Amino acid sequence: MIDVPGIFASNVFNDEKMRARLPRDTYEAYRASIDSDTTLEISVANAVADAMKDWAIEMGCTHYTHWFQPMTGITAEKHDSFLTPEGNGRVIMEFSGKELIKGEPDASSFPSGGIRATFEARGYTTWDPTSPAFVKDNTLCVPTAFVSYTGDVLDKKTPLLRSMDRINHESVRILNLLGKTEVTRVEATVGPEQEYFLIDKELYEQRKDLIYTGRTLFGARSPKGQQLDDHYFGAIKQRVKAFMAELDEELWKLGIYAKTEHNEVAPAQHELAPIFTSVNIAADHNQLTMELMKRIARKHGMVCLLHEKPFKGVNGSGKHNNWSLSTNTGENLLKPGKKPEENTQFLLFLTAVIRAVDEYQDLLRLSVATAGNDHRLGGDEAPPAIISMFLGDDLEAIVEAIINGEDYESHGKVVMNTGAEVLPEIRKDTTDRNRTSPFAFTGNKFEFRSLGSALNISCPNIMLNTMVADVLSEFSDELEKATDLDAAIRKLIRRTLKKHRRIIFNGDGYTDEWIDEAEKRGLLNLKSTPEALKRYTLKMNVELFKRNRIFSEKEVKARQEILLENYVKIIDLEALTMLDMAKKDILPGVSAFTGELAETIQRKRAVSKDIRVDAEIKLLNKLSDLLSRFSETIDELDSKVGGASGSSITPRRYCR
Ligand code: ADP
Ligand code: MG
């Protein structure tokens, strides 16, 4: 038996450890600076760094690293040892406040979208004190943000932190206006549900396409697919079970609230859901979770595939981003309560989200746009590329009643009769689940379901926080001027809902009728990544980011370029891998087999000319025909790739 509370967060230098190891006044100075978002005094930083280092050495560390999230989508590290020469041939282990706060990785090997020319390769990592340091592979990892020498954002964490500030500020402002003066802080909370595949390592190693691109580029449908749905929640095989047990333990040690695990719809597909936490921590934790999944799978003779669509004909993997807002007084702002129709505060926040999602559909869509995810969205297994919102019958009826100026009384929760006295009463949710909606209200949070499994969750949450904060700010501007606040709120909600009701759709998002209907409503249907990314730099979007101090125009353009370049590289790599497999494996293989067939025919004929060879001849004919067509297609691809890659695949990595 593992002692879960005992090991939980044992690899994390959390607040509790900091308090235990720092002198009281130093700890208080540190806490005060975090709580008021002010810069840390260098003396305090030195003391924190020293305590962190002592703890890390006790945990077996010799090195530290600034752990950051560049635009590659994965995390980066540069390891330095604590070793410092003393001058007399001896060394001591040191870690200063300066080293804790600021690092200088070789920025030139990370994408910057032209922001940072290579001759000014300098970039800085700066400590994010809101996310605790942790130990991984005998290394102390310090979560950091990554910016260029000129202060331009080069990572995913900095804008996320900025967007959290915005949603905090605007939520507190409007709550104070509503009379909730005890609220001083509002946090965006996220629980990301992570899907993944586990496959046998030996089988994986036979597939160049899986190795190089993460998905199969050639293949035949297996006779047993997911038709039977019998894998879902089925018995988890022993090896997978051992993997999950080890994964859980390692995640718990890192203070990650891994909670539920089950098999998914597709064969060999699984899901892990952590308990929600504040969004910057959730983003760090999700990156760590993906990294550990990959590493631990290998130890168990398996490979973890995080690609959004590894196999054709089998469901791909997504990530559900459950998002809500919670106050320092412990209130969830998206909780409707028993009578949502009378809950002005809830309706105001709901209205803000509805308007934000409608106005910035394209930002939500492009925040999940990747080459791999293009294979999933709209594929009868994942939401369509069209962004819409599901509210459920009860809330939708309330919205309709408000728009029509009618009274509405919600039914509240219905008690379900299970028919058995011994079972506790189950309160039925007022709405059933809708699995086809990209953006669904699920009782006390919104679930954004369009994310691909490999995505860093920062980007969609930057969008969500920013656009909702922006709308709330406009709401406050209007309401602060009102003489009759209640009347002004009612008017504002009604007017806004009327204008943005088109984004609400409770039906089946997988049908063709919805595509037509969405078009009539004027909703966007951005089918591919390039189409979606084009909209990043629209004036309206750039203005949103500038107004909220998330990105400058230069930074938006850089991001667009990085994402497009990444898309092109992936498509190019897939084409090159396809060519390699076709030329080296498939063409010679089929050609050799047709040769064998021809020989068989001759040998059979030599025995007796009465022996039938029509089956072999038919097969030989068919294969020879397929082979020449295949060869022509490959030549065509070859010439296209030759033309395209010269421009796209120039390496962006520069040696020093
Ligand atoms: P479901 O079955 O609807 O997917 P769960 O209760 O299992 O719902 O939650 C799914 C995810 O949503 C979990 O990661 C959970 O922690 C997260 N979640 C629950 N409440 C919130 C909230 N207030 N804010 C953000 N995420 C939440
Ligand atoms: Mg869910």
Side-chain angles (χ1 to χ4, degrees):
M1 266 295 279
I2 30 171
D3 166 21
V4 180
I7 64 163
F8 192 78
S10 57
N11 287 353
V12 185
F13 193 67
N14 54 11
D15 198 64
E16 192 187 322
K17 292 196 187 77
M18 197 152 334
R19 193 169 359 153
R21 282 166 180 266
L22 285 175
R24 199 184 156 140
D25 48 340
T26 316
Y27 172 78
E28 271 163 15
Y30 161 79
R31 214 46 263 173
S33 109
I34 302 266
D35 293 341
S36 61
D37 291 326
T38 49
T39 321
L40 216 55
E41 295 266 341
I42 189 67
S43 59
V44 178
N46 278 331
V48 172
D50 206 46
M52 224 183 238
K53 176 210 67 187
D54 287 345
W55 169 77
I57 290 173
E58 284 166 34
M59 298 290 295
C61 295
T62 49
H63 288 67
Y64 72 91
T65 180
H66 276 196
W67 185 81
F68 59 105
Q69 301 175 26
M71 292 299 293
T72 51
I74 49 175
T75 49
E77 306 171 359
K78 177 191 167 223
H79 294 209
D80 283 301
S81 79
F82 292 124
L83 205 115
T84 310
E86 255 200 322
N88 51 3
R90 303 159 78 94
V91 293
I92 48 165
M93 298 296 257
E94 253 185 5
F95 186 45
S96 67
K98 207 171 134 249
E99 287 168 309
L100 165 66
I101 290 174
K102 194 172 110 191
E104 234 183 289
D106 166 24
S108 65
S109 37
F110 299 105
S112 72
I115 274 189
R116 176 191 26 65
T118 37
F119 55 82
E120 42 175 70
R122 214 179 263 209
Y124 295 123
T125 49
T126 52
W127 181 37
D128 166 18
T130 60
S131 182
F134 56 90
V135 165
K136 183 169 68 78
D137 297 333
N138 295 332
T139 302
L140 172 70
C141 300
V142 180
T144 54
F146 181 43
V147 294
S148 79
Y149 180 63
T150 46
D152 295 312
V153 181
L154 296 177
D155 71 345
K156 310 217 172 201
K157 183 185 267 263
T158 314
L160 181 63
L161 293 173
R162 288 177 181 170
S163 75
M164 287 173 74
D165 282 349
R166 287 298 296 140
I167 193 80
N168 168 36
H169 181 85
E170 294 303 338
S171 304
V172 170
R173 181 176 162 208
I174 207 158
L175 287 170
N176 289 351
L177 192 65
L178 295 178
K180 284 237 164 107
T181 45
E182 68 282 12
V183 175
T184 54
R185 204 175 181 95
V186 170
E187 223 163 42
T189 53
V190 165
E193 301 164 66
Q194 176 73 48
E195 288 183 343
Y196 60 98
F197 279 92
L198 285 177
I199 59 168
D200 189 87
K201 187 161 159 284
E202 279 174 23
L203 295 175
Y204 168 86
E205 277 162 0
Q206 290 167 26
R207 298 291 309 224
K208 280 185 201 159
D209 46 6
L210 277 179
I211 295 173
Y212 296 132
T213 72
R215 72 182 183 106
T216 50
L217 302 170
F218 291 105
R221 246 171 221 251
S222 89
K224 182 179 180 295
Q226 64 191 63
Q227 302 93 327
L228 298 174
D229 275 348
D230 54 356
H231 183 77
Y232 197 54
F233 289 117
I236 298 173
K237 292 191 208 84
Q238 282 307 313
R239 202 154 32 136
V240 174
K241 220 170 169 169
F243 159 86
M244 285 182 176
E246 186 172 344
L247 178 64
D248 272 345
E249 192 173 332
E250 291 306 314
L251 291 174
W252 290 334
K253 283 191 204 156
L254 284 168
I256 299 173
Y257 310 96
K259 175 93 171 155
T260 49
E261 268 148 273
H262 58 78
N263 293 0
E264 267 299 330
V265 183
Q269 194 183 33
H270 310 280
E271 181 186 292
L272 182 142
I275 297 173
F276 68 96
T277 173
S278 67
V279 57
N280 62 323
I281 309 252
D284 285 358
H285 282 179
N286 184 248
Q287 290 299 114
L288 278 171
T289 301
M290 292 193 286
E291 190 184 324
L292 284 175
M293 279 176 168
K294 286 190 184 163
R295 181 142 35 100
I296 293 171
R298 295 256 171 190
K299 280 175 70 182
H300 294 265
M302 299 182 290
V303 173
C304 169
L305 302 180
L306 289 172
H307 193 283
E308 301 84 352
K309 186 78 182 172
F311 310 103
K312 192 175 173 179
V314 173
N315 276 8
S317 301
K319 180 143 58 191
H320 290 174
N321 190 82
N322 295 276
W323 177 91
S324 190
L325 295 170
S326 108
T327 66
N328 60 311
T329 51
E331 191 181 355
N332 177 352
L333 296 174
L334 291 179
K335 200 169 169 181
K338 286 212 179 80
K339 295 223 163 274
E341 67 277 20
E342 290 165 14
N343 187 344
T344 312
Q345 179 190 304
F346 167 73
L347 288 176
L348 203 51
F349 276 89
L350 178 74
T351 303
V353 179
I354 291 173
R355 172 172 157 193
V357 173
D358 186 36
E359 273 179 353
Y360 299 103
Q361 295 159 43
D362 51 356
L363 290 183
L364 284 179
R365 170 65 184 91
L366 74 85
S367 75
V368 300
T370 63
N373 211 22
D374 281 1
H375 298 291
R376 260 181 85 241
L377 296 182
D380 273 5
E381 55 174 287
I386 306 160
I387 300 288
S388 67
M389 272 170 103
F390 169 83
L391 293 185
D393 296 338
D394 216 21
L395 276 189
E396 191 179 13
I398 293 174
V399 167
E400 285 304 314
I402 291 172
I403 290 173
N404 301 327
E406 291 160 1
D407 283 338
Y408 179 83
E409 203 186 324
S410 66
H411 316 299
K413 296 222 167 185
V414 182
V415 175
M416 249 175 36
N417 187 355
T418 52
E421 288 289 318
V422 289
L423 294 176
E425 277 179 354
I426 301 176
R427 288 190 182 269
K428 199 168 113 178
D429 285 312
T430 45
T431 56
D432 197 6
R433 295 284 170 89
N434 175 320
R435 294 273 167 212
T436 66
S437 176
F439 202 88
F441 186 73
T442 51
N444 58 1
K445 61 190 183 287
F446 278 101
E447 183 168 6
F448 186 23
R449 302 207 182 104
S450 308
L451 288 73
S453 46
L455 197 75
N456 181 318
I457 63 168
S458 299
C459 198
N461 288 298
I462 293 166
M463 303 303 181
L464 270 172
N465 294 343
T466 307
M467 61 204 215
V468 174
D470 194 70
V471 171
L472 286 174
S473 143
E474 230 185 84
F475 282 7
S476 288
D477 287 346
E478 181 175 330
L479 296 177
E480 275 163 4
K481 292 192 206 103
T483 39
D484 181 347
L485 186 63
D486 283 341
I489 293 175
R490 275 197 302 274
K491 232 172 90 187
L492 170 72
I493 289 179
R494 185 168 177 204
R495 191 186 70 224
T496 312
L497 290 178
K498 223 175 187 165
K499 189 161 170 209
H500 298 285
R501 79 201 294 183
R502 64 168 186 174
I503 197 73
I504 301 168
F505 175 62
N506 278 357
D508 184 351
Y510 289 177
T511 60
D512 290 339
E513 290 81 67
W514 168 234
I515 297 179
D516 297 339
E517 162 76 18
E519 196 182 333
K520 276 192 214 120
R521 293 188 189 190
L523 299 180
L524 292 168
N525 185 3
L526 304 166
K527 290 193 199 99
S528 69
T529 294
E531 257 179 283
L533 286 176
K534 225 194 280 173
R535 300 184 63 98
Y536 216 157
T537 44
L538 289 191
K539 185 150 188 283
M540 176 178 170
N541 294 333
V542 172
E543 290 303 319
L544 171 81
F545 294 124
K546 276 166 60 179
R547 196 161 59 236
N548 290 280
R549 290 180 300 282
I550 307 295
F551 299 128
S552 65
E553 181 161 9
K554 183 171 145 201
E555 287 166 341
V556 177
K557 285 192 172 143
R559 273 169 194 254
Q560 182 187 47
E561 191 186 310
I562 291 167
L563 293 169
L564 275 172
E565 187 177 296
N566 184 262
Y567 174 83
V568 171
K569 276 185 183 164
I570 287 171
I571 303 286
D572 210 36
L573 182 63
E574 288 183 346
L576 292 174
T577 307
M578 244 183 158
L579 285 173
D580 186 87
M581 290 174 77
K583 289 183 192 167
K584 291 196 186 135
D585 304 329
I586 299 173
L587 280 172
V590 179
S591 170
F593 181 63
T594 48
E596 275 171 37
L597 267 178
E599 268 175 38
T600 309
I601 295 166
Q602 271 179 355
R603 278 208 305 272
K604 278 174 88 173
R605 276 188 171 145
V607 174
S608 149
K609 54 180 188 326
D610 295 333
I611 292 184
R612 288 181 63 171
V613 285
D614 47 342
E616 283 89 347
I617 290 182
K618 198 167 140 199
L619 187 57
L620 181 59
N621 252 323
K622 189 175 168 195
L623 284 178
S624 301
D625 180 45
L626 283 173
L627 188 63
S628 47
R629 272 160 50 203
F630 184 71
S631 162
E632 280 161 26
T633 317
I634 290 305
D635 284 347
E636 198 183 321
L637 180 63
D638 207 354
S639 69
K640 283 196 174 143
V641 171
S645 39
S647 55
S648 73
I649 205 114
T650 6
R652 274 274 169 161
R653 287 179 161 269
Y654 305 89
C655 299
R656 288 204 296 174

PDB file of all heavy atoms in Angstrom, residues 258-269:
ATOM      1  N   ALA A 258      -3.813  13.647  -9.708  1.00  0.00           N
ATOM      2  CA  ALA A 258      -4.350  12.660 -10.647  1.00  0.00           C
ATOM      3  C   ALA A 258      -5.504  11.955  -9.956  1.00  0.00           C
ATOM      4  O   ALA A 258      -5.380  11.507  -8.826  1.00  0.00           O
ATOM      5  CB  ALA A 258      -3.273  11.666 -11.019  1.00  0.00           C
ATOM      6  N   LYS A 259      -6.640  11.873 -10.630  1.00  0.00           N
ATOM      7  CA  LYS A 259      -7.819  11.391  -9.923  1.00  0.00           C
ATOM      8  C   LYS A 259      -8.470  10.187 -10.596  1.00  0.00           C
ATOM      9  O   LYS A 259      -8.505   9.101 -10.054  1.00  0.00           O
ATOM     10  CB  LYS A 259      -8.795  12.562  -9.821  1.00  0.00           C
ATOM     11  CG  LYS A 259     -10.126  12.239  -9.221  1.00  0.00           C
ATOM     12  CD  LYS A 259     -10.166  12.492  -7.750  1.00  0.00           C
ATOM     13  CE  LYS A 259     -11.602  12.349  -7.242  1.00  0.00           C
ATOM     14  NZ  LYS A 259     -11.654  12.001  -5.851  1.00  0.00           N
ATOM     15  N   THR A 260      -8.987  10.383 -11.789  1.00  0.00           N
ATOM     16  CA  THR A 260      -9.703   9.264 -12.383  1.00  0.00           C
ATOM     17  C   THR A 260      -9.001   8.768 -13.625  1.00  0.00           C
ATOM     18  O   THR A 260      -8.445   9.541 -14.390  1.00  0.00           O
ATOM     19  CB  THR A 260     -11.121   9.682 -12.821  1.00  0.00           C
ATOM     20  OG1 THR A 260     -11.009  10.880 -13.562  1.00  0.00           O
ATOM     21  CG2 THR A 260     -12.025   9.881 -11.663  1.00  0.00           C
ATOM     22  N   GLU A 261      -9.055   7.472 -13.806  1.00  0.00           N
ATOM     23  CA  GLU A 261      -8.462   6.897 -15.007  1.00  0.00           C
ATOM     24  C   GLU A 261      -9.405   5.855 -15.551  1.00  0.00           C
ATOM     25  O   GLU A 261      -9.957   5.066 -14.811  1.00  0.00           O
ATOM     26  CB  GLU A 261      -7.161   6.188 -14.652  1.00  0.00           C
ATOM     27  CG  GLU A 261      -5.981   7.077 -14.771  1.00  0.00           C
ATOM     28  CD  GLU A 261      -4.932   6.706 -13.763  1.00  0.00           C
ATOM     29  OE1 GLU A 261      -5.009   7.200 -12.644  1.00  0.00           O
ATOM     30  OE2 GLU A 261      -4.081   5.910 -14.113  1.00  0.00           O
ATOM     31  N   HIS A 262      -9.615   5.880 -16.836  1.00  0.00           N
ATOM     32  CA  HIS A 262     -10.387   4.778 -17.406  1.00  0.00           C
ATOM     33  C   HIS A 262     -10.021   4.581 -18.858  1.00  0.00           C
ATOM     34  O   HIS A 262      -9.373   5.423 -19.470  1.00  0.00           O
ATOM     35  CB  HIS A 262     -11.889   4.996 -17.234  1.00  0.00           C
ATOM     36  CG  HIS A 262     -12.399   6.263 -17.843  1.00  0.00           C
ATOM     37  ND1 HIS A 262     -12.619   6.389 -19.183  1.00  0.00           N
ATOM     38  CD2 HIS A 262     -12.710   7.461 -17.300  1.00  0.00           C
ATOM     39  CE1 HIS A 262     -13.063   7.612 -19.430  1.00  0.00           C
ATOM     40  NE2 HIS A 262     -13.116   8.295 -18.314  1.00  0.00           N
ATOM     41  N   ASN A 263     -10.435   3.443 -19.392  1.00  0.00           N
ATOM     42  CA  ASN A 263     -10.185   3.187 -20.801  1.00  0.00           C
ATOM     43  C   ASN A 263     -11.127   4.040 -21.611  1.00  0.00           C
ATOM     44  O   ASN A 263     -12.242   4.329 -21.182  1.00  0.00           O
ATOM     45  CB  ASN A 263     -10.443   1.718 -21.130  1.00  0.00           C
ATOM     46  CG  ASN A 263      -9.438   0.816 -20.452  1.00  0.00           C
ATOM     47  OD1 ASN A 263      -8.556   1.289 -19.749  1.00  0.00           O
ATOM     48  ND2 ASN A 263      -9.576  -0.463 -20.664  1.00  0.00           N
ATOM     49  N   GLU A 264     -10.698   4.445 -22.790  1.00  0.00           N
ATOM     50  CA  GLU A 264     -11.537   5.282 -23.639  1.00  0.00           C
ATOM     51  C   GLU A 264     -12.208   4.457 -24.733  1.00  0.00           C
ATOM     52  O   GLU A 264     -12.092   3.241 -24.778  1.00  0.00           O
ATOM     53  CB  GLU A 264     -10.693   6.415 -24.228  1.00  0.00           C
ATOM     54  CG  GLU A 264     -10.747   7.686 -23.387  1.00  0.00           C
ATOM     55  CD  GLU A 264     -12.158   8.245 -23.261  1.00  0.00           C
ATOM     56  OE1 GLU A 264     -12.947   8.053 -24.186  1.00  0.00           O
ATOM     57  OE2 GLU A 264     -12.469   8.861 -22.224  1.00  0.00           O
ATOM     58  N   VAL A 265     -12.887   5.161 -25.628  1.00  0.00           N
ATOM     59  CA  VAL A 265     -13.669   4.502 -26.670  1.00  0.00           C
ATOM     60  C   VAL A 265     -12.818   3.595 -27.567  1.00  0.00           C
ATOM     61  O   VAL A 265     -13.187   2.476 -27.881  1.00  0.00           O
ATOM     62  CB  VAL A 265     -14.351   5.556 -27.563  1.00  0.00           C
ATOM     63  CG1 VAL A 265     -15.232   4.881 -28.606  1.00  0.00           C
ATOM     64  CG2 VAL A 265     -15.175   6.500 -26.707  1.00  0.00           C
ATOM     65  N   ALA A 266     -11.664   4.094 -27.991  1.00  0.00           N
ATOM     66  CA  ALA A 266     -10.849   3.341 -28.941  1.00  0.00           C
ATOM     67  C   ALA A 266     -10.041   2.268 -28.216  1.00  0.00           C
ATOM     68  O   ALA A 266      -9.730   2.417 -27.040  1.00  0.00           O
ATOM     69  CB  ALA A 266      -9.910   4.294 -29.675  1.00  0.00           C
ATOM     70  N   PRO A 267      -9.688   1.206 -28.928  1.00  0.00           N
ATOM     71  CA  PRO A 267      -8.841   0.185 -28.303  1.00  0.00           C
ATOM     72  C   PRO A 267      -7.499   0.804 -27.931  1.00  0.00           C
ATOM     73  O   PRO A 267      -6.965   1.605 -28.692  1.00  0.00           O
ATOM     74  CB  PRO A 267      -8.642  -0.853 -29.410  1.00  0.00           C
ATOM     75  CG  PRO A 267      -9.528  -0.474 -30.524  1.00  0.00           C
ATOM     76  CD  PRO A 267      -9.995   0.922 -30.329  1.00  0.00           C
ATOM     77  N   ALA A 268      -6.971   0.439 -26.770  1.00  0.00           N
ATOM     78  CA  ALA A 268      -5.665   0.923 -26.296  1.00  0.00           C
ATOM     79  C   ALA A 268      -5.661   2.402 -25.944  1.00  0.00           C
ATOM     80  O   ALA A 268      -4.624   3.005 -25.739  1.00  0.00           O
ATOM     81  CB  ALA A 268      -4.551   0.634 -27.293  1.00  0.00           C
ATOM     82  N   GLN A 269      -6.846   3.022 -25.869  1.00  0.00           N
ATOM     83  CA  GLN A 269      -6.907   4.443 -25.514  1.00  0.00           C
ATOM     84  C   GLN A 269      -7.340   4.615 -24.059  1.00  0.00           C
ATOM     85  O   GLN A 269      -8.203   3.887 -23.578  1.00  0.00           O
ATOM     86  CB  GLN A 269      -7.879   5.176 -26.432  1.00  0.00           C
ATOM     87  CG  GLN A 269      -7.744   6.697 -26.342  1.00  0.00           C
ATOM     88  CD  GLN A 269      -8.766   7.416 -27.195  1.00  0.00           C
ATOM     89  OE1 GLN A 269      -9.876   6.952 -27.360  1.00  0.00           O
ATOM     90  NE2 GLN A 269      -8.379   8.551 -27.735  1.00  0.00           N
TER      91      GLN A 269
END
